């Protein structure tokens, strides 16, 4: 397929869903409230119950709740700048990372980390669905793994529009099924609440800083859920005076606020684990960490067992489909982004739906669920090194040091291939935290490995930017188009320009001046999409000389009619 043909194919948005570019206004037809509801749909996932149960059984209720709270506060703080850039400029986390310390190819590192998360998380959630099918129908676990994988394909292939309908219509039913029996138990069985509040866990129950941090470390592994929230939130409409209140509410609740809902569910997981232990007695630890058994014990306290089994099956299928369509969708976006950028060939997002699901199915068959606490605690070290680096670049390097351009540049031709700021921070923070996790710095520091990753990333990110004097953020100071990037309200402009490579029109943030003039020497425009597939770089403008002491522009190229706030 010719490059122009490949670019035209990638420009078709019905299945591609803007896997590696800015989401234009023409696609963002939903209201801010609708996008917020859609983004909160995946929070139905049940792995939170298992995570909270595992932490609670090991460290006791008090340490578990404190650990969950610690992780939630830090994740919220990390999520605010990242989610804001996503909803304000309508780009995903990979595009944010490109202009936040990683460079055009460097951000592929972060996308691979995220792609791995979607596979692991899909496997964990798929295993929970298989457990529910086994419990209710006696279906072998292996068959349940296959079913939980196949059931999401018809929805994921059709992208955002299909996901929006699923999340919107299923959320009310999920809320009723999940909360009604829980509230009944809390009100009608005060003894279960007392047992939960005083549960000591295997460690004896005394408040211990190491136990709190160890519990938080498991929760940190869920931080990449923020990137999945961003995949929805990038479809947010422009912020105006008319929709400002709804816009900010949706941003806060569905952006960084996802972790509040997640943390509450983890605490509920501790409660249900203790409830299972008190109902079934000693020896029930294994079942107390499985959401299928947690929900069954909860429902059988209200209704006959056959009704409880039916309700549990409906709830599990509902919850797991809601989250796993998101895992598969976000994973397909991530893998297609990396592959297309490296190979300059676009095979279609659907190919990577199956790629992502194949890896997740293999992990399920390898029984990754039995190692959930270890896998998540291990992965949390890399995850936090990655996300804290991006957040630190946005907050410190962009707004304090002003070494990083505030406008989130993501277009090839405007960026260097590699920026050492991000990779150096991620590699160093990951290496030190994983060394601590492996016990190389002694058993005393092992529980603090994730905090080491966070601390190193916060320090190294600005220090590397200072050491390099911001030299590797921008390849050019201008994209060659003398049109404003933002409108009067500070939103990305919806003005459209024609790409001479594809023949399609694209909105202003997606466009650059082409290095190839027209037949009469006139200026031509090229889309970031066409540049992604331009192997020879024939349309890329030459770099501008770097001058020591030059600061990146705070505003977007071509000027602006409005501010960036």
């Amino acid at each position: 397929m010719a490059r122009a043909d490949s670019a035209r194919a990638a420009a078709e948005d019905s299945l591609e869903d803007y896997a590696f570019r800015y989401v234009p206004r023409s696609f963002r037809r939903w209201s801010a409230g609708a996008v917020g509801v859609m983004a909160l749909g995946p929070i139905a996932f049940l792995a939170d119950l298992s995570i909270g149960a595992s932490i609670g059984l090991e460290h006791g209720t008090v340490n578990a709740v404190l650990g969950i709270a610690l992780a939630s506060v830090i994740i919220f703080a990390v999520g605010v700048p990242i989610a804001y850039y996503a909803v304000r400029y309508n780009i995903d986390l990979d595009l944010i990372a490109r202009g936040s310390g990683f460079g055009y190819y460097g951000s592929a590192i972060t996308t691979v980390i995220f792609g791995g998360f979607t596979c692991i998380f899909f496997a964990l959630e798929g295993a929970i669905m298989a457990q529910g099918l086994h419990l209710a129908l006696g279906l072998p676990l292996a068959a349940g793994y296959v079913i939980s994988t196949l059931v999401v394909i018809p929805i994921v292939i059709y992208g955002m529009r299909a996901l929006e309908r699923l999340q919107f219509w299923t959320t009310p039913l999920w809320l009723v099924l999940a909360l009604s029996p829980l509230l009944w138990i809390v009100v009608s069985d005060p003894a279960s609440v007392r047992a939960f509040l005083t549960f000591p866990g295997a460690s004896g129950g005394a408040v211990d800083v190491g136990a709190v941090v160890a519990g938080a470390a498991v929760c940190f592994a869920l931080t990449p859920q923020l990137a999945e929230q961003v995949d929805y939130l990038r479809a947010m409409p422009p912020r105006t005076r008319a929709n400002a209140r709804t816009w900010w509410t949706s941003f806060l609740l569905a952006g960084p606020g996802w972790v509040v809902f997640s943390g509450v569910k983890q605490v509920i997981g501790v409660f249900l684990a203790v409830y299972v232990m008190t109902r079934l007695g000693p020896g029930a630890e294994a079942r107390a960490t499985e959401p299928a058994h947690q929900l069954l014990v909860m429902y059988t306290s209200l209704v006959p067992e056959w009704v409880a089994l039916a309700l549990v099956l409906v709830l599990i299928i509902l919850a797991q489909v809601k989250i796993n369509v998101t895992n598969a969708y976000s994973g397909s976006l991530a893998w297609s982004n990396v592959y297309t950028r490296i190979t300059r060939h676009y095979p279609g997002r659907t190919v990577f739906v199956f790629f992502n699901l194949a890896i997740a199915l293999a992990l399920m068959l390898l029984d990754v669920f039995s190692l959930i606490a270890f896998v998540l605690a291990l992965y949390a070290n890399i995850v936090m090194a990655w996300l804290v680096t991006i957040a630190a670049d946005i907050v410190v390097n962009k707004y304090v040091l002003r070494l990083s351009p505030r406008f989130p540049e993501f277009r090839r031709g405007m960026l260097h291939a590699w920026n050492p700021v991000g990779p150096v921070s991620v590699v160093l923070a990951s290496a030190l935290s994983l060394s601590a996790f492996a016990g190389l710095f002694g058993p005393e520091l092992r529980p603090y490995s994730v905090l080491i990753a966070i601390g190193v990333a916060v320090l190294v990110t600005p220090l590397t930017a200072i050491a390099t004097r911001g030299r590797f953020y921008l390849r050019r100071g201008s994209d060659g188009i003398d049109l404003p990037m933002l409108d009067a309200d500070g939103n990305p402009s919806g003005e459209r320009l024609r790409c001479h490579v594809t023949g399609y029109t694209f909105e202003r943030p997606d466009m650059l001046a082409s290095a190839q003039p027209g037949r009469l020497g006139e200026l031509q425009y090229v889309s970031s999409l066409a540049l992604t597939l331009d192997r020879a770089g024939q349309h890329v403008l030459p770099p501008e000389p770097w001058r020591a002491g030059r600061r990146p522009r705070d505003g977007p190229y071509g000027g602006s009619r409005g501010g960036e706030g």
Side-chain angles (χ1 to χ4, degrees):
M1 180 184 288
R3 293 287 143 192
D5 292 337
S6 184
R8 291 188 191 100
E12 298 294 336
D13 72 316
S14 59
L15 300 182
E16 187 254 327
D17 266 24
Y18 307 96
F20 38 88
R21 59 195 180 101
Y22 158 81
V23 181
R25 289 192 183 198
S26 58
F27 180 80
R28 296 181 276 123
R29 302 184 182 98
W30 299 279
S31 68
V35 173
V37 171
M38 178 172 31
L40 284 173
I43 306 302
F45 62 86
L46 299 180
D48 272 333
L49 302 181
S50 184
I51 291 169
S54 299
I55 299 171
L57 293 180
E58 177 67 24
H59 302 295
T61 295
V62 175
N63 288 322
V65 171
L66 290 175
I68 292 167
L70 173 64
S72 298
V73 170
I74 294 176
I75 293 171
F76 186 94
V78 171
V80 169
I82 294 174
Y84 177 78
Y85 262 58
V87 299
R88 189 59 167 147
Y89 300 110
N90 310 107
I91 52 178
D92 66 15
L93 191 51
D94 174 79
L95 270 61
I96 294 173
R98 293 182 192 181
S100 298
F102 288 87
Y104 182 75
Y105 288 110
S107 70
I109 297 172
T110 71
T111 307
V112 168
I113 294 173
F114 175 53
F117 167 83
T118 65
C119 293
I120 293 172
F121 205 41
F122 187 105
L124 295 176
E125 298 294 345
I128 292 172
M129 183 171 171
Q131 291 166 4
L133 292 170
H134 176 72
L135 184 65
L137 304 176
L139 197 69
L141 287 176
Y145 297 153
V146 174
I147 291 174
S148 67
T149 302
L150 296 178
V151 72
V152 305
I153 293 175
I155 301 171
V156 176
I157 284 178
Y158 287 96
M160 182 72 79
R161 292 183 177 93
L163 267 63
E164 185 267 338
R165 296 185 185 97
L166 173 76
Q167 302 295 5
F168 184 82
W169 291 108
T170 56
T171 296
L173 178 59
W174 173 81
L175 285 171
V176 172
L177 289 174
L179 296 181
S180 298
L182 179 67
L183 294 174
W184 174 259
I185 290 173
V186 170
V187 172
S188 65
D189 188 2
S192 65
V193 178
R194 288 193 295 270
F196 160 71
L197 294 174
T198 58
F199 183 71
S203 62
V207 176
D208 178 76
V209 175
V212 171
V213 175
V218 180
C219 304
F220 282 129
L222 293 177
T223 311
Q225 177 63 33
L226 172 66
E228 297 194 349
Q229 299 302 113
V230 161
D231 282 339
Y232 286 100
L233 292 174
R234 66 199 177 112
M236 191 80 86
R239 191 185 78 198
T240 63
R241 291 183 179 180
N243 72 353
R245 180 175 298 179
T246 305
W247 193 96
W248 280 109
T249 302
S250 296
F251 156 68
L252 287 171
L253 291 180
W258 74 269
V259 74
V260 177
F261 300 99
S262 179
V264 169
K265 286 164 57 196
Q266 289 163 26
V267 174
I268 291 173
V270 180
F271 173 82
L272 290 178
V274 175
Y275 188 70
V276 170
M277 296 283 288
T278 56
R279 290 291 297 262
L280 301 184
E285 289 86 354
R287 284 179 286 179
T289 60
E290 294 183 3
H293 282 97
Q294 292 176 340
L295 297 173
L296 180 61
V297 172
M298 179 175 67
Y299 271 111
T300 51
S301 65
L302 280 76
V303 296
E305 185 173 357
W306 68 272
V307 178
L309 280 170
L311 292 173
V312 168
L313 182 60
V314 171
L315 177 57
I316 287 179
I317 291 176
L318 194 64
Q320 302 317 92
V321 168
K322 283 170 71 67
I323 181 57
N324 267 352
V325 294
T326 302
N327 286 323
Y329 173 71
S330 293
S332 70
L333 293 176
W335 296 121
S336 61
N337 189 321
V338 172
Y339 180 87
T340 303
R341 206 175 342 154
I342 293 175
T343 66
R344 311 281 172 78
H345 171 67
Y346 176 69
R349 184 177 63 84
T350 303
V351 172
F352 296 99
V353 171
F354 291 99
F355 174 77
N356 198 66
L357 294 179
I359 296 175
L361 179 59
L363 291 173
M364 281 188 272
L365 293 172
L366 292 171
D367 196 21
V368 69
F369 187 85
S370 64
L371 301 172
I372 182 172
F374 174 78
V375 170
L376 292 179
L378 175 67
Y379 204 64
N381 295 280
I382 303 171
V383 161
M384 293 309 291
W386 154 45
L387 289 171
V388 172
T389 294
I390 296 175
D393 191 274
I394 293 173
V395 174
V396 181
N397 293 354
K398 291 185 187 299
Y399 286 89
V400 179
L401 300 178
R402 295 183 63 188
L403 292 171
S404 175
R406 289 190 185 180
F407 185 79
E409 184 56 77
F410 59 88
R411 299 165 295 175
R412 182 189 176 201
M414 296 301 299
L415 295 167
H416 289 282
W418 294 86
N419 185 343
V421 172
V424 167
S425 176
V426 170
V427 170
L428 189 58
S430 298
L432 291 175
S433 63
L434 288 173
S435 297
F437 183 80
L440 298 182
F441 300 148
E444 297 82 7
L445 282 182
R446 190 175 188 275
Y448 300 90
S449 64
V450 179
L451 295 185
I452 291 174
I454 294 171
V456 172
V458 167
L459 291 175
V460 172
T461 301
L463 289 177
T464 308
I466 292 171
T468 58
R469 294 182 287 179
R471 178 173 185 170
F472 298 99
Y473 281 99
L474 290 178
R475 183 174 172 272
R476 293 180 55 83
S478 169
D479 61 11
I481 301 178
D482 192 22
L483 291 172
M485 189 75 79
L486 304 180
D487 66 14
D489 292 311
N491 301 295
S493 171
E495 189 166 358
R496 301 187 74 87
L497 301 169
R498 183 181 179 275
C499 171
H500 76 94
V501 177
T502 66
Y504 288 108
T505 61
F506 295 81
E507 292 184 7
R508 173 66 180 92
D510 246 347
M511 300 297 290
L512 301 89
S514 174
Q516 299 293 317
R519 292 180 181 179
L520 301 178
E522 72 275 12
L523 177 67
Q524 296 193 114
Y525 305 116
V526 62
S527 65
S528 64
L529 175 65
L531 291 181
T532 300
L533 302 170
D534 178 17
R535 181 167 292 171
Q538 60 183 325
H539 304 295
V540 178
L541 291 169
E544 294 178 344
W546 182 82
R547 299 186 304 276
R550 183 185 71 182
R551 290 181 180 270
R553 297 187 181 196
D554 289 338
Y557 318 109
S560 170
R561 297 188 186 98
E564 289 187 85

